[in-house]
Amino acid sequence: MRWLTRVVPSLTTLAGLILLVPLALNAWVVGASDSSVFNRGHALSADRVALVLGTSPYLRDGQHNVFFTQRIVAAARLYQQGVVAHLLVSGANPSTRYNEPRRMYQQLIALGVPPHAITLDFAGFRTLDSVVRARRIFGVNQAIIVTQRFHAYRAVFLASRNGVDAMAFVASNRRTRLPFEVAVREYFARVQSVLDVYVFHTDPRYLGPARPIGADGGDRSRVAIPRDLLL
């Protein structure tokens, strides 16, 4: 049984590392981004594009997703208060029945944001895709990222390490308990974000041709808004 006295300590050390490394990476992502996450519009630097990160308008049970509503309301408020002059809405578009940018566009229009102030990114499949495409496709070097606080740390971390001078505007000041499933998913997503940047050097799923915001005189509606969005 002597082998047990050698193996057990090694296994215990390995198990400890498996637990501690993700904790350390989470702490790093949050700590590195905390100073760039704000919940007040007047604390933000002007002359930036608001990057509104997509999420589903509805939950699996069919109820409205409060995260979606909070982001839309926050983005509209930033525009109406003159903090930003343009919104880049980025999300997934896997089918004709599920299109996050289209729904964000429709809701922003309903809240009074003019069409010419909105650009749609239909290939924001992941947070990494959204922030990298913001710079490489849409020419955004300075951005105010609109999302919830738990997500903002990772978004700013990824943006800053992909050439975007990013700040984040928290979509809601309410201190509500994060659903367990969402908390666990975000915990491991932060670990993945570090691996994507420093180990895998992950690129977005799709890039395509550059379409800098403002390159056509500021009117992005002709290029970025398909006709069916207006139906």
Side-chain angles (χ1 to χ4, degrees), residues 110-121:
L111 290 177
V113 179
H116 70 264
I118 308 171
T119 293
L120 288 85
D121 175 14

Side-chain angles (χ1 to χ4, degrees), residues 54-60 62-69 97-104 106-107:
T55 187
S56 173
Y58 300 100
L59 302 176
R60 292 178 182 177
Q63 297 184 23
H64 288 280
N65 183 358
V66 65
F67 291 165
F68 177 89
T69 303
R97 299 184 61 184
Y98 186 87
N99 190 316
E100 291 173 357
R102 178 171 63 188
R103 292 305 302 271
M104 288 192 285
Q106 292 169 339
Q107 293 301 311

Side-chain angles (χ1 to χ4, degrees), residues 63-219:
Q63 297 184 23
H64 288 280
N65 183 358
V66 65
F67 291 165
F68 177 89
T69 303
Q70 289 172 348
R71 294 180 195 185
I72 295 302
V73 171
R77 189 168 67 217
L78 288 177
Y79 177 83
Q80 292 160 354
Q81 293 177 349
V83 178
V84 298
H86 204 92
L87 308 176
L88 172 59
V89 296
S90 179
N93 174 36
S95 71
T96 56
R97 299 184 61 184
Y98 186 87
N99 190 316
E100 291 173 357
R102 178 171 63 188
R103 292 305 302 271
M104 288 192 285
Y105 171 81
Q106 292 169 339
Q107 293 301 311
L108 287 167
I109 294 298
L111 290 177
V113 179
H116 70 264
I118 308 171
T119 293
L120 288 85
D121 175 14
F122 294 103
F125 299 105
R126 298 173 55 197
T127 302
L128 181 143
D129 294 52
S130 293
V131 299
V132 173
R133 284 176 53 81
R135 182 179 67 85
R136 294 170 62 177
I137 302 302
F138 299 99
V140 175
N141 296 311
Q142 294 182 306
I144 295 174
I145 300 174
V146 181
T147 187
Q148 277 69 32
R149 180 177 293 277
F150 72 90
H151 185 205
Y153 300 116
R154 175 164 56 96
V156 169
F157 180 87
L158 285 168
S160 64
R161 281 151 182 79
N162 281 282
V164 180
D165 179 8
M167 310 169 77
F169 181 62
V170 176
S172 175
N173 292 327
R174 294 181 181 178
R175 293 287 184 175
T176 55
R177 174 173 289 185
L178 202 62
F180 178 76
E181 179 183 355
V182 176
V184 171
R185 185 167 64 245
E186 183 61 26
Y187 177 84
F188 288 105
R190 289 172 185 164
V191 175
Q192 182 65 46
S193 70
V194 176
L195 296 177
D196 282 335
V197 171
Y198 293 104
V199 179
F200 303 126
H201 306 289
T202 306
D203 282 326
R205 185 187 305 182
Y206 175 77
L207 282 172
R211 296 189 286 125
I213 292 173
D216 51 2
D219 182 6

Side-chain angles (χ1 to χ4, degrees), residues 22-52:
L23 283 171
L25 294 181
N26 266 261
W28 180 28
V29 170
V30 173
S33 307
D34 186 59
S35 62
S36 298
V37 177
F38 301 91
N39 59 12
R40 298 181 183 275
H42 62 72
L44 301 170
S45 300
D47 300 325
R48 293 174 182 246
V49 170
L51 172 59
V52 191

